[in-house]
């Protein structure tokens, strides 16, 4: 199943000069329920914000808010108002350098980190909501969109995160992008190559992953 993802600021490519700087982020492994960096468009500018990972319905009662949605399949968008509404008007990008799949232990496949071969960064497609707290403050929550896995990845998990190509990032964030163009991004073929690395092989050079190897 899908688990965590990582972002390390040292991998930030220089060709993202039009986006807010991510250099000052410490990076690390992000888990559902934590606050994580996202990119959104506000007042015609791309801004860096920290939202809570795990989408919560704005209309949910306070007692129900422990139930959150870290991942959301693109195939469910048309059937679920919680996904459909933000996909039209509240889209975000989540910067990452890799994500983790905890495969079925019964198959002996273990845990893997998926990254692109040059260890560069990329962005997941995300959607977000704003919920009002009992004290009057607001919290933004987000989910990473997923799509059916193909090839080798399909043996590890039924779904994988949806990556937005760099040349389409601005279109994804822009609330004025026509819906037909957004749907094209949701379901377009993604030829991105990737490396699939067993987590235990990463431990010697990446101490922050020690807990994942347990």
């Amino acid at each position: 199943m899908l688990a965590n993802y990582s972002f390390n600021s040292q991998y930030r490519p220089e060709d993202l000069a039009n986006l807010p700087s991510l250099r000052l982020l410490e990076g690390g492994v992000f888990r559902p329920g934590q606050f994580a960096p996202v990119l959104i468009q506000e007042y015609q500018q791309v801004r860096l914000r920290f939202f809570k990972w795990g989408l919560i319905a704005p209309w949910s009662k306070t007692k129900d808010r422990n139930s959150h949605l870290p991942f959301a399949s693109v195939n469910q968008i048309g059937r679920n108002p919680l996904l459909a509404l933000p996909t039209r008007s509240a889209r975000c990008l989540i910067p990452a350098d890799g994500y983790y799949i905890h495969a079925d232990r019964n198959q002996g496949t273990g845990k893997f980190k998926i990254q692109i071969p040059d260890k560069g960064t990329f962005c997941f497609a995300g959607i977000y909501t704003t919920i009002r707290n009992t004290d009057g403050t607001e919290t933004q929550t987000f989910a990473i969109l997923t799509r059916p896995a193909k090839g080798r990845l399909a043996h590890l998990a039924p779904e994988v995160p949806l990556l937005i190509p760099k040349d389409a990032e601005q279109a994804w964030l822009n609330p004025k992008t026509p819906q037909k163009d957004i749907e094209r991004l949701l379901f377009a073929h993604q030829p991105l190559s990737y490396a699939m690395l067993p987590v235990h092989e990463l431990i010697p050079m990446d101490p922050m992953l020690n807990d994942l190897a347990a």
Side-chain angles (χ1 to χ4, degrees):
M1 66 177 179
L2 291 171
N4 316 316
Y5 74 92
S6 62
F7 176 75
N8 191 324
S9 57
Q10 67 177 311
Y11 293 141
R12 179 185 183 272
E14 295 301 326
D15 60 356
L16 293 183
N18 59 324
L19 296 181
S21 176
L22 302 174
R23 290 182 179 277
L24 299 181
L25 298 179
E26 295 180 357
V29 176
F30 295 96
R31 298 172 176 80
Q34 295 181 332
F35 282 83
V38 303
L39 298 168
I40 63 171
Q41 181 166 309
E42 287 183 325
Y43 307 109
Q44 300 183 342
Q45 290 187 335
V46 178
R47 301 179 186 274
L48 176 67
R49 295 287 186 261
F50 283 81
F51 292 172
K52 192 172 184 179
W53 185 12
L55 198 70
I56 297 176
W59 54 83
S60 64
K61 297 180 180 179
T62 303
K63 65 182 178 62
D64 299 325
R65 290 182 177 177
N66 288 330
S67 177
H68 56 265
L69 189 67
F71 299 101
S73 174
V74 296
N75 291 328
Q76 296 295 320
I77 289 175
R79 312 171 198 170
N80 188 339
L82 174 59
L83 308 181
L85 294 176
T87 300
R88 288 197 291 268
S89 59
R91 298 182 296 272
C92 61
L93 292 171
I94 301 96
D97 64 59
Y99 61 91
Y100 299 96
I101 293 179
H102 291 195
D104 189 348
R105 290 179 181 272
N106 295 327
Q107 298 178 6
T109 46
K111 304 174 185 179
F112 295 85
K113 180 176 183 179
I114 312 301
Q115 61 186 36
I116 58 179
D118 63 356
K119 295 184 179 180
T121 55
F122 47 82
C123 285
F124 300 130
I127 54 177
Y128 67 95
T129 60
T130 299
I131 59 174
R132 183 172 293 277
N133 304 311
T134 54
D135 61 1
T137 61
E138 294 182 338
T139 299
Q140 283 73 35
T141 68
F142 75 93
I144 294 173
L145 295 181
T146 63
R147 58 185 298 159
K150 296 182 179 180
R152 292 185 301 164
L153 293 180
H155 296 289
L156 302 179
E159 300 253 335
V160 293
L162 172 64
L163 276 57
I164 296 296
K166 293 188 185 302
D167 60 2
E169 289 177 348
Q170 294 287 351
W172 177 260
L173 291 179
N174 189 343
K176 296 183 179 180
T177 298
Q179 193 61 27
K180 63 180 181 179
D181 294 337
I182 295 302
E183 292 178 1
R184 189 176 300 117
L185 289 173
L186 291 174
F187 299 103
H189 173 63
Q190 292 191 312
L192 181 68
S193 60
Y194 60 88
M196 187 169 64
L197 305 175
V199 167
H200 67 82
E201 292 185 8
L202 297 173
I203 299 303
M205 55 183 172
D206 201 345
M208 69 183 180
L209 299 180
N210 282 333
D211 61 330
L212 291 177

